[in-house]
Amino acid sequence: MTENPINKTNQLTGQNKSTDGEYPLGVRIFLTVLVVFIGLIFLLVLWLRLPVLTQMAIGTYTPSPRPPTRTPLPTRTATITSTPTETPLPTATSLPPSANLVYDLDELQPPIPGVRSTAIVLSVPGNAVAAPDFTDQTWYPSSQIVEDMRANGVAIEFTHPFYATYSSASIMWNMDVPLDTGLYEVYVLDTLYSSGGLLDFQVRIGETQLYPLVGSTQVNYQLLQGNPPQKSDVWRSIGVYDVNNSGLLSVASSWQNRDEYSVVAVERVLIVKLPASTRQLIDALPQGAYRVVIDDNSAKIGNKRDWIAIDNKTAWGNNFMDLINPPADETVIWELPDPVPVGRYEVLAWIPEIKGNPEVSYSLTGNGFDFDREESGTPPITQQGNWEGGKWVSLGYWTVPELYGKTVRFVVTMKIKGGGIGDVAADALAFILQP
């Protein structure tokens, strides 16, 4: 019997069926394994999705929160600030320096306390003219005075020339160039020898007379025979002046005949530019009154080793003396170098910016007499206090009647109690004559 070719093909491919319609055994086994495998896959997927299906069956599905993803900040764009066009500084308007300018004040004789800037020194006869002229026989040059004293057995030398006279005369010291705008204090020299009595001065810019903002144009020249006696040459202030134009400054004086106790000796004039901050301190004083200011540079400090010199623009002259946590009782004494007219005065102390906690007290004497503070006015301070930028503090009012004379030389004493915590300042005092 011939084999059916179709059956042979089915045997080779495994696709033949039995005659009763069923698949062969191998095919059935394969299909069973496939079904089981697919079922396992289905169960695995079902198990992995079970939470989701459960949430879907019992409620609204809420997705698990994702951890926040860092959102990168935008790169900061630098703000471009336009560079300002540099404003050219104004052309310096400083006037030519004087030929009489002294740069090193350590060389100045006698020294002048507290002056740290440069100064202008006008000498005689180089910067001064007199009437009659210095060649007149009424003038006695210092060289002749030296010879006369040596003849009497007194050996002496003068570092700078001067001229003395008993006769009426006048003198004028003249600047060689204009001064820059600003405040200037002017001094005249009180020589140890050959000078005494009162002398008035005038300060001018060109033909315009200047009046002092503080201080007096009158000087009481001391004497070796005075009380107390003069011990050395001394610079005497004739006031602080506001120079605001370009004319030439001059200092002049004139007098009538004198006696042996009021002989006139003319020597140098000193011109010192003050710090710009001085104007603020002067403007803070009562206006329209006779005012005299004395700085701590002229004060007598008891135990100076405990004090510190402080540079500070809130102080008179940009510096003051400071005592921190005073270890013991201390005393500071200010004495006016020249007498002032008698009358009623308010005395003020400039207190720079400090922590003024220690206990202090002030007293005043005049011509050797104690004067009681008036009950009126601000009560006396017991602490210097703490004022931003500094302040003039009233120490009280004192009256000196004419029975003590026409003039009075004030002495103010500050007593400091030891053991306090904080600062005590010694700076300027102002004497304000009341109307």
Side-chain angles (χ1 to χ4, degrees):
M1 178 175 175
T2 304
E3 184 177 17
N4 187 348
I6 296 176
N7 290 337
K8 185 175 182 179
T9 303
N10 289 340
Q11 290 175 357
L12 291 176
T13 60
Q15 295 179 354
N16 57 324
K17 291 184 178 180
S18 63
T19 55
D20 57 4
E22 293 181 355
Y23 286 104
L25 178 61
V27 173
R28 284 183 293 167
I29 294 172
F30 171 77
L31 292 175
T32 301
V33 172
L34 181 61
V35 171
V36 172
F37 178 77
I38 292 173
L40 291 174
I41 294 297
F42 176 81
L43 291 175
L44 179 62
V45 171
L46 184 64
W47 179 77
L48 292 174
R49 303 295 295 174
L50 182 61
V52 176
L53 296 174
T54 302
Q55 181 70 22
M56 293 176 63
I58 62 176
T60 304
Y61 170 68
T62 302
S64 300
R66 279 182 162 186
T69 304
R70 179 184 292 273
T71 302
L73 294 173
T75 304
R76 182 184 295 275
T77 303
T79 302
I80 301 175
T81 303
S82 58
T83 303
T85 304
E86 184 173 349
T87 303
L89 295 174
T91 305
T93 56
S94 293
L95 298 167
S98 170
N100 306 297
L101 191 63
V102 176
Y103 292 94
D104 187 2
L105 291 185
D106 291 337
E107 298 179 356
L108 186 65
Q109 293 299 327
I112 183 165
V115 177
R116 300 185 180 184
S117 61
T118 56
I120 295 171
V121 178
L122 304 179
S123 60
V124 292
N127 304 113
V129 293
D133 189 83
F134 287 125
T135 59
D136 190 87
Q137 62 180 359
T138 57
W139 288 103
Y140 295 87
S142 54
S143 57
Q144 180 181 337
I145 296 173
V146 167
E147 292 180 4
D148 294 344
M149 295 184 71
R150 285 179 177 175
N152 293 321
V154 179
I156 193 170
E157 293 289 344
F158 297 125
T159 57
H160 293 86
F162 65 87
Y163 291 83
T165 185
Y166 294 99
S167 301
S168 60
S170 64
I171 185 173
M172 180 180 290
W173 292 263
N174 295 287
M175 280 290 300
D176 54 342
V177 295
L179 293 169
D180 290 328
T181 298
L183 295 182
Y184 291 83
E185 188 159 12
V186 181
Y187 300 82
V188 295
L189 190 71
D190 180 359
T191 62
L192 178 60
Y193 298 96
S194 306
S195 62
L198 295 174
L199 202 60
D200 290 307
F201 290 87
Q202 301 84 42
V203 177
R204 295 185 176 90
I205 294 289
E207 298 298 322
T208 303
Q209 183 167 346
L210 304 182
Y211 297 92
L213 301 178
V214 296
S216 172
T217 58
Q218 187 178 80
V219 173
N220 184 24
Y221 284 84
Q222 304 301 299
L223 294 167
L224 281 169
Q225 303 84 4
N227 184 23
Q230 186 172 342
K231 297 180 180 179
S232 64
D233 292 349
V234 179
W235 293 105
R236 304 286 187 193
S237 173
I238 57 172
V240 174
Y241 298 87
D242 188 3
V243 175
N244 55 16
N245 64 51
S246 58
L248 293 179
L249 183 139
S250 64
V251 178
S253 184
S254 61
W255 55 92
Q256 298 302 313
N257 292 338
R258 315 286 280 224
D259 59 26
E260 60 185 34
Y261 298 105
S262 59
V263 59
V264 174
V266 292
E267 217 245 44
R268 288 165 291 165
V269 164
L270 182 68
I271 303 170
V272 178
K273 188 171 186 179
L274 300 180
S277 59
T278 307
R279 187 181 298 274
Q280 299 176 359
L281 275 66
I282 292 177
D283 290 344
L285 286 169
Q287 303 296 307
Y290 174 80
R291 308 177 294 184
V292 177
V293 176
I294 180 174
D295 197 14
D296 61 282
N297 297 305
S298 302
K300 299 175 183 177
I301 297 177
N303 188 5
K304 206 166 186 177
R305 292 175 299 177
D306 294 332
W307 293 75
I308 303 172
I310 302 294
D311 291 332
N312 191 310
K313 289 186 177 180
T314 69
W316 185 275
N318 287 358
N319 63 86
F320 70 98
M321 297 299 292
D322 186 44
L323 178 62
I324 304 173
N325 302 335
D329 292 351
E330 180 62 285
T331 301
V332 181
I333 300 174
W334 290 262
E335 181 177 359
L336 282 179
D338 292 300
V340 295
V342 296
R344 183 172 183 259
Y345 283 84
E346 182 184 16
V347 183
L348 302 103
W350 177 260
I351 310 299
E353 190 171 319
I354 61 168
K355 304 290 185 181
N357 298 320
E359 184 176 335
V360 297
S361 63
Y362 295 85
S363 61
L364 179 141
T365 63
N367 294 348
F369 296 94
D370 293 328
F371 292 96
D372 294 330
R373 180 190 290 106
E374 295 180 5
E375 295 296 332
S376 61
T378 306
I381 65 171
T382 56
Q383 293 177 321
Q384 291 187 341
N386 176 26
W387 292 279
E388 183 178 354
K391 181 181 179 180
W392 287 108
V393 177
S394 178
L395 305 183
Y397 292 82
W398 285 267
T399 298
V400 181
E402 287 193 5
L403 64 89
Y404 292 94
K406 294 293 185 182
T407 61
V408 59
R409 177 175 290 165
F410 284 130
V411 176
V412 174
T413 301
M414 176 174 68
K415 293 184 178 180
I416 305 161
K417 187 174 182 180
I421 303 300
D423 298 286
V424 178
D427 199 6
L429 295 184
F431 299 80
I432 313 298
L433 180 62
Q434 303 301 296

